[in-house]
Amino acid sequence: MVGAGLSGAVTGRLLAEAGYRVTVVDARDHIAGNCHTRRCPETGVLVHVYGPHIFHTDDAEVWDYVNRFERFLPYKNRVKATTGGAVYSLPINLHTINQFFGKTLRPDEARAFIEEQADTSITDPQTFEEQALRFVGPALYEAFFKGYTIKQWGCHPRELPASILKRLPVRFNYEDDYFSHRFQGMPETGYTEMIGRILDHPGIDVHLNTRFTRDQSGRYAHVFYSGPLDGWYEYDIGRLGYRTLDFERFTYDGDWQGCAVMNYGEESVPFTRITEHKHFAPWETHAGSILYREYSRACGPEDIPYYPIRLVTEKALLRRYAERAAAEGGVTFMGRLGTYRYLDMDVTIREALDTGHRFLNSREKGQEMPALTSSVS
Ligand code: FAD
Ligand code: UDP
């Protein structure tokens, strides 16, 4: 398993339970990949080191899986947004609409009001901007989405696909849960502890501070690679585009913002959001507080890749890498970097379980495991 994140840990555990000897390597000095959490020794706050991670899923099997290794405590993500000198509730809901437009609309009235604002000439929105103008209209788009998205993606929303905005609901009631999934929660002791327990099996050896390169593949019966797809080929035909994040850490003696996540809609504010980590564990009490101001920028060769960009040029390059990958034997590409997709944790676990089962089935039948098990383009 190349990578001790969720992908490598979950597939590794499944194969170890089936009797395989599994070696997990990670270039970093810790397990858990980007889900890594660490307790701050000074304040006792559990910090989401690579940005805020909230577990949410509709997949009952995945929910049972994570609960096998960790106690999840109830947590709803209630995000706030600062824009135009006021604080609002996200995702856009009846409270946001009434507060923003200074009205007291009921659900049906709000729906009709927003429909009046919307650009109904857009029948099949293709871009982020068209999707926003069609479903919330120009005023809410400008206040909440345009500036934030320019900062987050480094390009204009008319260059981005509508699918990015489709991740967010618009609600005509007062429900302000950021996610609509049935099962949601936070790991009581942290994601790192949970992934540590997944990796804790006599058939699994973990080696940290160990970078894997393709030429080492011969030592193993099969390689499951959750590193970057283009990295497997030493980026020889170019780099797939990513956004990276810079976290500006600061501390406060008390409660700095009163919620876990505050987004900043305006382009003139250079960061996208501020995360106050102690609010992810409301069952804990800490006097001190740790906060991250989050800045997004283009990812250079030495930076950590966070968000795959997937615009037209990246997709063309991705297709070329994917064609090469599909022809490989003895390796399977997996996870958010290996398949160059934005994957939530629950989808990562689902795919890692499916990949493991597929490997066991193909071994039983004496067949070769495919290098790509999901469509990446
Ligand atoms: P990773 O966690 O990236 O693990 C890959 C590992 O491989 C890394 O540790 C890396 O060091 C290692 N590696 C790479 N190349 C090599 C090599 N050559 N040799 C050795 N090791 C190597 N999901 C949610 O469900 N909810 C959220 O709220 C949420 N928030 C997020 C916020 C941010 C800012 C980001 C970026 C993602 C968020 N996610 C969230 C998604 C979540 O982080 C991913 O689903 C998850 O990390 C994917 O796990 P992975 O194992 O595929 O990849
Ligand atoms: N978005 C925005 N304003 C916000 C929150 C989100 O414009 O306050 C846009 C932004 O382009 C983001 C997308 O909506 O990439 C999807 O939001 P989500 O919260 O899913 O972003 P992620 O979890 O990927 O950071």
Side-chain angles (χ1 to χ4, degrees), residues 14-35:
L14 200 141
L15 299 198
E17 285 177 355
Y20 282 85
R21 282 215 61 81
V22 176
T23 303
V24 179
V25 297
D26 203 299
R28 294 176 179 175
D29 64 359
H30 60 74
I31 60 164
N34 274 11
C35 305

Side-chain angles (χ1 to χ4, degrees), residues 18 22 25-26 71 79 95 99 106 120 127 135 155-156 158 185 195 218 255 266 276 281 371:
V22 176
V25 297
D26 203 299
R71 190 163 160 224
V79 177
H95 204 168
Q99 197 192 348
R106 293 183 298 103
T120 49
T127 68
F135 289 100
C155 61
H156 196 279
R158 76 174 79 90
I195 293 171
D255 184 0
E266 284 150 321
E276 186 160 19

Side-chain angles (χ1 to χ4, degrees), residues 28 50 211 235 239 242-246 297-306:
R28 294 176 179 175
Y50 299 95
R211 177 165 293 285
Y235 311 97
R239 282 182 179 267
Y242 279 94
R243 300 292 287 172
T244 191
L245 300 174
D246 294 321
R297 64 176 168 81
C299 184
E302 303 308 319
D303 298 319
I304 299 173
Y306 282 93

Side-chain angles (χ1 to χ4, degrees), residues 90 128 144-145 148-149 152-153 164 167-168 178 263 273 307 342:
L90 282 184
F128 185 112
F144 292 97
F145 298 130
Y148 188 100
T149 296
Q152 171 74 4
W153 294 99
I164 296 182
R167 291 215 286 261
L168 298 184
Y178 203 71
N263 288 1
R273 57 183 176 180
Y307 293 97
Y342 182 90

Side-chain angles (χ1 to χ4, degrees), residues 182-231:
R182 250 189 319 161
F183 308 109
Q184 301 187 38
M186 275 291 177
E188 186 177 24
T189 60
Y191 293 104
T192 301
E193 276 65 17
M194 176 183 87
I195 293 171
R197 279 178 220 117
I198 297 174
L199 289 167
D200 183 16
H201 185 282
I204 301 180
D205 290 320
V206 180
H207 303 273
L208 299 177
N209 300 304
T210 307
R211 177 165 293 285
F212 183 89
T213 49
R214 192 182 169 189
D215 53 10
Q216 298 163 357
S217 305
R219 296 189 207 156
Y220 304 95
H222 196 88
V223 175
F224 292 86
Y225 177 80
S226 67
L229 174 59
D230 48 356

Side-chain angles (χ1 to χ4, degrees), residues 1-9 25-28 30-36 50-56 77 179 191 210-213 225-228 231 245 247 273 294 305-307 334-338 342-349:
M1 301 291 149
V2 181
L6 270 177
S7 296
V25 297
D26 203 299
R28 294 176 179 175
H30 60 74
I31 60 164
N34 274 11
C35 305
H36 181 54
Y50 299 95
H53 278 70
I54 298 100
F55 200 91
H56 54 97
N77 201 26
F179 304 112
Y191 293 104
T210 307
R211 177 165 293 285
F212 183 89
T213 49
Y225 177 80
S226 67
L245 300 174
F247 298 109
R273 57 183 176 180
E294 191 170 321
Y306 282 93
Y307 293 97
M334 62 191 309
R336 57 176 204 99
L337 298 168
Y342 182 90
L343 296 181
D344 275 325
M345 291 182 279
D346 61 326
V347 181
T348 304
I349 294 171

Side-chain angles (χ1 to χ4, degrees), residues 92-103 105-121 131-141 144-145 169-173:
I92 289 181
N93 63 67
L94 193 49
H95 204 168
T96 326
I97 295 167
N98 276 331
Q99 197 192 348
F100 187 81
F101 293 104
K103 296 196 176 289
L105 302 171
R106 293 183 298 103
D108 293 344
E109 295 166 343
R111 204 181 284 277
F113 176 76
I114 292 297
E115 194 61 12
E116 275 167 29
Q117 315 269 316
D119 183 345
T120 49
S121 71
Q131 177 76 11
L133 293 174
R134 173 64 191 88
F135 289 100
V136 298
L140 292 171
Y141 164 60
F144 292 97
F145 298 130
V170 177
R171 301 205 185 103
F172 295 101
N173 56 31

